[in-house]
Amino acid sequence: MIRLNDVHKRFGNLPVLQGVSLRVAPQEVCVVIGPSGSGKSTLLRCTNALEDVDAGEVYIDGMALHSEGKRLPEPELNRLRSQLGMVFQGFNLFPHLTALQNVTLAPVHVKGLPRPEAGALARELLAKVGLADKADAHPSQLSGGQKQRVAIARALAMQPKIMLFDEPTSALDPELVDEVLQVMKQLAREGMTMLVVTHEMSFAREVADRVVVMDEGRILEEGPPEVIFSQPAHERTRAFLRKVVFRATT
């Protein structure tokens, strides 16, 4: 479903991705971990063309998003993007719209769904993330965990083939993290293809089919979670995991 070949990205003189190659198979949950500043979020943004790559290839569901120095033309790119749901750190909900309106907006204006049909879909998705009773609430009336669950419902409203998650719990108070992770776990159980950047090691251990470790814009190693967490091959991975475990237990 996702294929990156030797992807490079710089911001000015700063190399952020340095030859990243990655595959994510249909229905696979691939979790990317690593220190802050290692290029994880940029990897996601290049995957859905929110950032252009400087070199390399990006394929989504067999279609070249970036290839041979060329980016897919905008109309085709927008169609391809509609297959990629993206959940950000900061929710990005429209504050003047209700939860229902936030979820309904894209299906109506991007996919051309009739408003009653989009509304029914939105209510179904809000129920799916446990927020059926918050349909008429504005973001200011919701907790951080509820906002992020609305954001997940909004992404699902486009009926994507792939979901991308960029540190979806990093802006949440600790007691609200689990309610978001439970929704993500349910999506994984349903067979959604997922590429997840997170510092939640428990989620990576429990849900990931494969864990990818990044540092300084490169993939250090990748493998099943039981291997990465118990027998990491790279010293930088071991050092990172020691720090994460220490923070989690203090």
Side-chain angles (χ1 to χ4, degrees), residues 62 153 172:
L172 302 181

Side-chain angles (χ1 to χ4, degrees), residues 10-26:
R10 301 177 69 91
F11 292 118
N13 294 323
L14 178 66
V16 181
L17 297 178
Q18 304 187 68
V20 172
S21 295
L22 179 66
R23 307 286 187 276
V24 180

Side-chain angles (χ1 to χ4, degrees), residues 218-233:
R218 296 183 174 90
I219 292 178
L220 293 180
E221 57 183 302
E222 56 184 293
E226 59 269 21
V227 174
I228 294 298
F229 287 105
S230 63
Q231 298 175 317

Side-chain angles (χ1 to χ4, degrees), residues 6-236:
D6 195 26
V7 169
H8 292 256
K9 176 65 180 178
R10 301 177 69 91
F11 292 118
N13 294 323
L14 178 66
V16 181
L17 297 178
Q18 304 187 68
V20 172
S21 295
L22 179 66
R23 307 286 187 276
V24 180
Q27 298 189 321
E28 182 179 15
V29 178
C30 181
V31 175
V32 184
I33 65 174
S36 296
S38 58
K40 306 184 299 296
S41 293
T42 301
L43 173 70
L44 286 189
R45 293 178 67 85
C46 288
T47 299
N48 70 353
L50 289 176
E51 298 285 354
D52 287 332
V53 304
D54 296 325
E57 300 175 323
V58 179
Y59 289 86
I60 303 297
D61 199 20
M63 183 176 290
L65 195 154
H66 287 281
S67 181
E68 299 179 352
K70 297 179 182 178
R71 169 174 154 148
L72 201 63
E74 205 66 26
E76 289 87 348
L77 177 60
N78 288 335
R79 280 196 291 272
L80 188 58
R81 271 211 194 107
S82 71
Q83 300 178 27
L84 292 164
M86 181 83 175
V87 178
F88 300 89
Q89 299 178 35
F91 321 135
N92 293 352
L93 300 178
F94 290 104
H96 62 290
L97 300 180
T98 65
L100 182 69
Q101 290 167 336
N102 266 283
V103 178
T104 304
L105 196 64
V108 170
H109 293 283
V110 178
K111 297 192 77 172
L113 227 60
R115 196 169 292 275
E117 185 178 340
L121 174 63
R123 290 187 183 278
E124 178 184 323
L125 290 170
L126 286 171
K128 181 185 183 74
V129 300
L131 294 174
D133 60 335
K134 299 294 184 181
D136 296 323
H138 286 80
S140 62
Q141 299 170 299
L142 301 175
S143 70
Q146 290 170 336
K147 290 176 188 176
Q148 194 60 292
R149 284 186 282 155
V150 172
I152 293 173
R154 178 183 57 185
L156 291 172
M158 291 296 288
Q159 300 176 306
K161 294 181 178 180
I162 301 167
M163 285 289 287
L164 308 177
F165 292 89
D166 185 12
E167 295 281 10
T169 61
S170 66
L172 302 181
D173 293 333
E175 64 269 22
L176 301 177
V177 167
D178 190 61
E179 64 188 59
V180 174
L181 294 182
Q182 289 303 321
V183 173
M184 295 171 64
K185 290 174 184 178
Q186 180 61 36
L187 292 177
R189 287 192 290 268
E190 292 171 359
M192 175 65 74
T193 304
M194 297 165 63
L195 181 57
V196 182
V197 169
T198 186
H199 279 103
E200 297 294 334
M201 296 301 109
S202 61
F203 177 86
R205 283 177 181 270
E206 181 182 344
V207 182
D209 297 302
R210 182 159 45 101
V211 175
V212 173
V213 185
M214 288 189 67
D215 188 36
E216 296 184 346
R218 296 183 174 90
I219 292 178
L220 293 180
E221 57 183 302
E222 56 184 293
E226 59 269 21
V227 174
I228 294 298
F229 287 105
S230 63
Q231 298 175 317
H234 204 291
E235 173 54 34
R236 289 186 184 178

